[in-house]
Amino acid sequence: MLSLPSSFLGSKPSHTYPVDMKILSCLSAILLFLFFSASFAEQNVRTERISGSAGDVLEDNPVGKLKVYVYELPSKYNKKLLQKDPRCLTHMFAAEIFMHRFLLSSPVRTRNPDEADWFYTPIYPTCDLTPTGLPLPFKSPRMMRSAIQLISSNWPYWNRTEGADHFFVVPHDFGACFHYQEEKAIERGILPLLQRATLVQTFGQRNHVCLDEGSITIPPFAPPQKMQAHFIPPDIPRSIFVYFRGLFYDVNNDPEGGYYARGARAAVWENFKNNPLFDISTDHPTTYYEDMQRAIFCLCPLGWAPWSPRLVEAVVFGCIPVIIADDIVLPFADAIPWEEIGVFVAEKDVPELDTILTSIPTEVILRKQRLLANPSMKRAMLFPQPAQPGDAFHQILNGLARKLPHDKSIYLKAGEKELNWTAGPVGDLKPW
Amino acid sequence: MKLSALHQSYLNRRSTSFRSPTSLDSSVDGSGKSLIAVFWLILHCLCCLISLVLGFRFSRLVFFFLFSTSSTNLYSAPFRPDLPVKHLDVHTIGRNLDPGANGTVAMATKSSRVVVGRHGIRIRPWPHPNPVEVMKAHGIIERVQKEQKTIFGMKSSKMVIVVTPTYVRTFQALHLTGVVHSLMLVPYDVVWIVVEAGGATNETGLIIAKSGLRTIHVGIDQRMPNTWEDRSKLEVFMRLQALRVVREEKLDGIVMFADDSNMHSMEFFDEIQNVKWFGTVSVGILAHSGNAEEMVMSMDKRKEMEKEEEEESSSLPVQGPACNSTDQLIGWHIFNTLPYAGKSAVYIDDVAAVLPQKLEWSGFVLNSRLLWEEAENKPEWVKDFGLLNENEGVESPLSLLKDPAMVEPLGSCGRQVLLWWLRVEARADSKFPPGWIIDPPLEITVAAKRTPWPDVPPEPPTKKKDQMPLSQGNTVVVIPKQQQHSTKIRKPKRRSKKNKHEPRPTDTTTQVYSSSSKHQERN
């Protein structure tokens, strides 16, 4: 690495380049070396961080471990939104609605807020859909602010801790950053009022502004009945090596290419469109779920956001997920050993994907399939109605229970204020 | 802080990336800054001009070479500028390094390694499948499928013992090939016992050897008789011989009777695996004579009969178990032979409907342990096979049982017809080449000096082609292409000449001329 620039320079006649040029190149090379060594160190940490074994933590019963108090908000925050647009129940952000319904009838719910460990605000910020069904996040910060103002003025529990024992479900693209474009989301950052609260979100990427330490990552909503209706007998042989259906280029929003999925999906297409082992296309087949059950590996590359419902589908259908999203934080990462179940491929290694996948030893592949076949794994990824033991709702409660007991320092003294109520873009301060 | 650094890198990307990293700029001497700026501007213009000439962005390449490390995937030889650059967005890789370098300088470990913005689409130089990897992938697929089979597949599959009586005749190859192909597709172990009337011959042996299955070829000295009735009697004898072989060899599996002219569905083999001791399936009976008019007449007669007598006997061509509403066996449906009374075939080559026996053997399957001398849990309602007296007239496998009510009906109580019974044979005097190999080659009588094909074609065909019977002498019939170019002038002449000299041959279009005189005439 280091030798290249200097040798390159050495071959050129020195009088055409000033001396500064040499210093410049050397410094840049040293910095690059430092940068890459830092990245390697981080990588080693990554492989050790995920631990926990499927089967015991996943089957914990949260009942008795925590108590949740559900605030009574006026229906303009929840029911009216759903009435206006019932499509909110079927899109991949429906977890916020189903979580509310689950908590209302769950044994962990308590009607006495003084004995509650956690407080839940039933608000559906993602339920504002365009005609085509995509959620608009523009009003969500204002909605959230107005809800928090309501609960802080009607109940004393918010001001007691400034939200540190409250949790919110924010399943949108970049969580509580409330924007679908990553750059804008990073600019906005997490809503200032939610800085102390625990966020339950689908977005998870290490060292990203929109992922707070202590957030709980959940899987995106995938309709359980629809998937279960497409099961095929398990003795049908898996004959597809790698399977993927979806966009490679987003021509509407990214005509040049290179922005969408950080170029990773396009790289998959360009490198493997001629490869018969890779069954990849942009089709929308009616046999999508059945095909996944006939495949050994299912690609789960990032899109505009690193998470995707493909992960849930792959786990439910027993197809080993190949996760192509650098630094992604997967759902329930402290309970599910994703490293042992899925295959992680760095975005820069996408052109060598076939080499990587074929060089995995067969015993490892069989072991991954066995782990995926574990029914508790599949249950943990789903949001069934009515709730069943071990499902995603229970995993969220388990995650909340693991954060108990609350540290004494979250309780603020009288008059002490940590949050800045006027922070954030001016548009957020308008009442909703 | 995070925001500002990323924002800064964001801005960097927006501006021309041909600048060096901003943090490094600060290390450069202030006085030299303007010089450098001018220098870069000149270099940029130069590169732009070169790009105009070459057709791609040459400037970025230079930058890339100066500052790249191992981040690109060019594992083969040096970068070839003549590759279409629209695929390899190399410039952005250089761009990626800048914010990274920025990040490490501006702050500590909190920076995200993953940067927002435009990234290159990485494509390797040869984006086609590597054959070694394809083979490895197929190995993985096979291993996974094997594992699936052991976990989810059939738990225990019993061997299928197939009993087939046969004898050498024209249609034997047709029938046996069908059975061979069906048995080759069976996913279970197969033992094929072929009993041959007239002794075990090589012809039959060759056909059954091609199946690749384990076969037991037994020969019976008697020759197959000429009437259907006697034939079925001999077939019964042959099948019992096969069952004796099963008993002696102590073959363990499920015995089924595959007559060589029958056709089996694959579901049949899956269904018979469910037999415990003795089962029966529905057989489609195709009593066909090959004479369409006969069939129509018999159908009409059947309809008449039904109108007159309103019989309850089913007119379905099926032989199989009959069940009551609780799916218990109460009897058998038998093929109604009344419409064919008096008109059925007696001799094997009669042009009349061939009728089945009362109960065809092919509709029954049994566990081979019933035939053994000593078997655990052998039910009491089975007669001892060793004591079977053939002289008492064994017509169907039910003679092996004391109580026919214990038979298990298969195929959802006979509702599924899983195989078909058919008897088709050729005329008694039909000849066929042994082994269906034409050896020695057919006789051609040719004039010594001339080719068999005339140089000038003879007169055009005047008689129809279908009046050309196959003569006994096996002459070869050749269609030379030159025949089409007949000259009209010569035609009448030749015809008349032919009439004078020789009797006209029956087939005029294509024939090998055997006499030399004709050739002389033409010339």
Side-chain angles (χ1 to χ4, degrees):
Chain A
M1 260 192 315
L2 282 172
S3 58
L4 180 59
S6 41
S7 63
F8 198 86
L9 281 175
S11 60
K12 297 240 170 166
S14 54
H15 65 268
T16 51
Y17 290 83
V19 179
D20 314 70
M21 192 52 200
K22 280 193 190 135
I23 302 172
L24 204 140
S25 54
C26 285
L27 274 168
S28 68
I30 292 168
L31 279 160
L32 286 167
F33 175 73
L34 282 172
F35 163 73
F36 276 106
S37 60
S39 72
F40 285 136
E42 213 178 283
Q43 225 172 22
N44 291 336
V45 174
R46 190 209 306 178
T47 51
E48 290 160 12
R49 197 181 302 155
I50 296 173
S51 62
S53 53
D56 57 344
V57 181
L58 280 183
E59 285 171 24
D60 277 353
N61 191 355
V63 176
K65 292 197 189 153
L66 79 165
K67 293 214 187 301
V68 177
Y69 177 73
V70 182
Y71 284 122
E72 297 264 337
L73 285 187
S75 58
K76 69 169 181 170
Y77 292 99
N78 34 55
K79 290 207 187 68
K80 285 229 181 91
L81 294 172
L82 191 54
Q83 270 166 4
K84 257 193 269 177
D85 198 344
R87 285 178 303 179
C88 292
L89 275 175
T90 47
H91 67 177
M92 52 182 149
F93 309 106
E96 53 186 10
I97 302 171
F98 291 120
M99 191 68 192
H100 181 205
R101 292 189 182 175
F102 165 71
L103 283 172
L104 284 175
S105 53
S106 159
V108 301
R109 183 191 181 188
T110 167
R111 302 217 184 239
N112 179 4
D114 288 311
E115 62 168 15
D117 300 304
W118 288 100
F119 295 84
Y120 172 66
T121 318
I123 175 173
Y124 305 160
T126 334
C127 195
D128 181 14
L129 304 184
T130 63
T132 52
L134 296 171
L136 291 173
F138 303 119
K139 294 197 195 138
S140 315
R142 290 162 50 199
M143 194 202 299
M144 195 59 91
R145 259 185 87 86
S146 135
I148 293 175
Q149 270 170 345
L150 194 74
I151 59 177
S152 63
S153 47
N154 290 0
W155 287 275
Y157 306 103
W158 177 271
N159 293 326
R160 198 169 64 166
T161 56
E162 293 247 281
D165 54 356
H166 290 58
F167 71 93
F168 294 84
V169 180
V170 280
H172 195 245
D173 286 359
F174 290 98
C177 292
F178 291 121
H179 209 279
Y180 51 82
Q181 266 194 351
E182 191 169 357
E183 287 156 351
K184 298 243 171 63
I186 292 174
E187 260 183 65
R188 297 180 60 95
I190 296 181
L191 199 70
L193 291 177
L194 295 175
Q195 301 266 3
R196 287 168 64 88
T198 296
L199 297 170
V200 178
Q201 59 189 51
T202 49
F203 171 76
Q205 189 175 307
R206 264 178 279 276
N207 300 326
H208 197 278
V209 182
C210 297
L211 180 69
D212 208 6
E213 299 286 332
S215 296
I216 297 177
T217 338
I218 61 170
F221 177 75
Q225 289 92 349
K226 194 168 152 207
M227 289 203 283
Q228 275 152 10
H230 286 270
F231 274 135
I232 60 174
D235 60 340
I236 293 197
R238 288 188 186 263
S239 47
I240 303 176
F241 191 61
V242 177
Y243 187 77
F244 176 76
R245 288 288 182 273
L247 290 178
F248 298 101
Y249 294 95
D250 188 350
V251 280
N252 297 324
N253 300 320
D254 176 30
E256 310 172 288
Y259 279 101
Y260 180 56
R262 294 197 277 267
R265 286 195 186 197
V268 169
W269 175 252
E270 298 298 339
N271 280 299
F272 301 111
K273 60 188 175 188
N274 296 317
N275 196 324
L277 295 173
F278 283 68
D279 186 354
I280 57 178
S281 86
T282 50
D283 279 348
H284 282 281
T286 46
T287 53
Y288 176 61
Y289 291 142
E290 287 86 350
D291 291 339
M292 274 191 138
Q293 294 171 73
R294 291 195 304 117
I296 299 183
F297 290 105
C298 289
L299 293 184
C300 303
L302 70 159
W304 285 111
W307 56 269
S308 104
R310 279 179 190 87
L311 184 71
V312 177
E313 288 159 359
V315 170
V316 169
F317 293 126
C319 180
I320 300 175
V322 178
I323 296 149
I324 307 172
D326 286 346
D327 280 347
I328 187 173
V329 175
L330 289 174
F332 308 128
D334 49 350
I336 299 179
W338 287 107
E339 289 278 314
E340 292 174 43
I341 293 165
V343 179
F344 287 84
V345 177
E347 287 166 32
K348 63 174 171 60
D349 292 331
V350 164
E352 289 144 69
L353 191 58
D354 55 348
T355 319
I356 295 171
L357 292 180
T358 51
S359 57
I360 303 177
T362 345
E363 305 84 41
V364 173
I365 293 179
L366 292 175
R367 175 156 188 267
K368 286 185 202 276
Q369 290 194 318
R370 278 196 295 271
L371 283 171
L372 278 170
N374 190 351
S376 61
M377 178 75 58
K378 296 187 211 274
R379 273 199 301 261
M381 289 281 113
L382 294 173
F383 293 93
Q385 264 74 49
Q388 284 159 14
D391 65 9
F393 299 117
H394 290 88
Q395 303 305 329
I396 296 173
L397 292 178
N398 281 336
L400 289 169
R402 281 194 284 270
K403 295 183 85 175
L404 293 177
H406 291 298
D407 195 37
K408 291 283 180 265
S409 62
I410 62 167
Y411 294 101
L412 302 172
K413 309 216 179 20
E416 204 181 332
K417 281 229 177 270
E418 289 239 358
L419 290 181
N420 185 351
W421 283 73
T422 51
V426 180
D428 284 359
L429 301 173
K430 274 191 265 186
W432 182 76
Chain B
M1 301 310 118
K2 285 185 221 176
L3 290 172
S4 57
L6 282 168
H7 203 191
Q8 196 181 20
S9 62
Y10 185 74
L11 287 173
N12 275 347
R13 257 173 274 116
R14 284 288 177 255
S15 53
T16 57
S17 71
F18 204 59
R19 284 189 294 136
S20 53
T22 51
S23 56
L24 299 172
D25 267 345
S26 55
S27 63
V28 176
D29 192 9
S31 59
K33 228 180 185 175
S34 53
L35 259 175
I36 289 176
V38 170
F39 163 72
W40 281 120
L41 196 61
I42 293 171
L43 199 58
H44 185 66
C45 291
L46 195 65
C47 290
C48 279
L49 284 170
I50 298 175
S51 314
L52 272 174
V53 171
L54 283 177
F56 61 90
R57 292 162 102 174
F58 180 70
S59 56
R60 313 302 173 104
L61 278 180
V62 172
F63 188 65
F64 163 63
F65 271 125
L66 283 178
F67 291 111
S68 81
T69 57
S70 59
S71 64
T72 56
N73 318 332
L74 304 171
Y75 13 82
S76 56
F79 182 80
R80 291 167 55 216
D82 49 340
L83 279 178
V85 183
K86 67 174 167 73
H87 283 294
L88 195 59
D89 289 338
V90 175
H91 58 285
T92 55
I93 295 170
R95 225 191 262 152
N96 278 351
L97 299 177
D98 301 340
N102 251 345
T104 47
V105 167
M107 57 210 175
T109 52
K110 263 299 187 174
S111 72
S112 176
R113 222 160 39 95
V114 184
V115 276
V116 189
R118 192 124 192 269
H119 292 246
I121 300 169
R122 298 177 144 96
I123 302 171
R124 61 191 200 199
W126 180 249
H128 292 285
N130 179 342
V132 172
E133 275 155 27
V134 173
M135 280 313 297
K136 274 200 247 176
H138 282 289
I140 292 174
I141 294 175
E142 258 185 64
R143 183 70 189 81
V144 167
Q145 290 183 356
K146 201 171 100 177
E147 189 72 20
Q148 273 185 282
K149 233 185 251 184
T150 48
I151 300 177
F152 300 113
M154 280 280 282
K155 289 298 168 195
S156 57
S157 57
K158 291 183 216 151
M159 188 164 69
V160 178
I161 302 166
V162 187
V163 171
T164 302
T166 183
Y167 68 104
V168 177
R169 74 268 193 207
T170 309
F171 273 61
Q172 184 202 29
L174 176 86
H175 295 318
L176 264 191
T177 308
V179 181
V180 161
H181 290 166
S182 301
L183 293 180
M184 281 167 78
L185 285 175
V186 172
Y188 314 109
D189 295 327
V190 171
V191 171
W192 193 12
I193 305 179
V194 179
V195 188
E196 193 171 347
T201 60
N202 276 343
E203 269 196 62
T204 315
L206 275 171
I207 300 175
I208 62 179
K210 277 193 205 148
S211 66
L213 304 166
R214 183 179 154 198
T215 53
I216 300 176
H217 193 181
V218 180
I220 305 283
D221 284 331
Q222 280 171 273
R223 291 201 59 199
M224 191 61 90
N226 213 15
T227 58
W228 287 109
E229 214 179 303
D230 293 334
R231 178 176 156 171
S232 67
K233 286 202 180 100
L234 186 61
E235 278 179 3
V236 169
F237 175 73
M238 287 154 74
R239 291 189 190 106
L240 291 173
Q241 283 296 100
L243 292 181
R244 281 189 196 100
V245 169
V246 171
R247 181 187 165 91
E248 274 155 41
E249 305 270 335
K250 279 207 168 255
L251 295 174
D252 185 18
I254 297 171
V255 180
M256 58 159 280
F257 300 98
D259 296 343
D260 58 3
S261 51
N262 290 358
M263 180 55 65
H264 311 84
S265 68
M266 284 300 116
E267 290 81 17
F268 173 69
F269 297 102
D270 293 330
E271 187 66 23
I272 61 174
Q273 292 284 330
N274 300 330
V275 145
K276 281 196 233 37
W277 290 111
F278 200 103
T280 174
V281 295
S282 283
V283 184
I285 301 289
L286 304 170
H288 205 269
S289 64
N291 187 350
E293 289 170 14
E294 273 279 335
M295 293 302 293
V296 169
M297 274 163 49
S298 70
M299 283 298 295
D300 288 340
K301 193 163 186 199
R302 201 181 292 166
K303 279 185 197 149
E304 267 179 40
M305 280 174 53
E306 276 180 16
K307 270 189 225 158
E308 287 171 7
E309 300 165 6
E310 292 180 18
E311 285 179 13
E312 282 197 20
S313 64
S314 73
S315 55
L316 291 174
V318 172
Q319 168 205 304
C323 295
N324 62 7
S325 48
T326 53
D327 279 347
Q328 278 177 332
L329 185 72
I330 51 173
W332 271 266
H333 289 300
I334 292 181
F335 184 69
N336 189 5
T337 58
L338 285 177
Y340 299 95
K343 287 214 187 109
S344 67
V346 173
Y347 290 93
I348 286 188
D349 52 359
D350 275 352
V351 183
V354 180
L355 297 179
Q357 298 298 299
K358 221 167 167 191
L359 277 177
E360 279 294 331
W361 281 67
S362 38
F364 296 93
V365 288
L366 52 131
N367 191 337
S368 64
R369 287 174 193 237
L370 290 180
L371 306 166
W372 291 5
E373 293 170 353
E374 300 284 332
E376 297 175 0
N377 304 330
K378 199 163 145 181
E380 305 102 15
W381 40 267
V382 175
K383 292 185 200 164
D384 187 9
F385 183 67
L387 304 173
L388 191 72
N389 188 353
E390 272 170 64
N391 298 332
E392 282 170 13
V394 177
E395 274 194 6
S396 76
L398 292 178
S399 316
L400 299 171
L401 305 177
K402 291 178 199 162
D403 183 9
M406 302 301 292
V407 175
E408 305 149 39
L410 299 172
S412 42
C413 207
R415 281 191 275 275
Q416 292 170 342
V417 173
L418 299 170
L419 69 155
W420 295 270
W421 177 96
L422 174 71
R423 290 281 180 266
V424 176
E425 298 298 342
R427 285 161 50 121
D429 60 345
S430 75
K431 291 193 185 64
F432 68 100
W436 289 97
I437 293 175
I438 303 173
D439 181 33
L442 300 176
E443 293 170 10
I444 304 175
T445 52
V446 191
K449 288 182 191 168
R450 301 286 173 192
T451 58
W453 303 278
D455 297 321
V456 178
E459 61 266 39
T462 49
K463 280 204 182 154
K464 286 195 185 140
K465 285 187 185 146
D466 57 2
Q467 286 182 7
M468 182 172 66
L470 202 69
S471 50
Q472 298 291 329
N474 284 343
T475 49
V476 71
V477 174
V478 176
I479 305 175
K481 287 197 180 125
Q482 300 95 308
Q483 288 238 346
Q484 305 306 320
H485 310 293
S486 54
T487 52
K488 286 187 184 166
I489 306 164
R490 284 206 190 182
K491 260 190 263 171
K493 238 186 179 176
R494 238 182 287 124
R495 200 181 286 144
S496 56
K497 276 191 181 165
K498 273 183 82 176
N499 281 336
K500 275 189 211 162
H501 290 275
E502 283 191 26
R504 200 153 171 191
T506 47
D507 40 346
T508 53
T509 52
T510 57
Q511 192 169 32
V512 175
Y513 285 93
S514 50
S515 75
S516 52
S517 57
K518 278 192 206 152
H519 290 284
Q520 284 169 4
E521 275 168 4
R522 218 164 292 110
N523 292 335

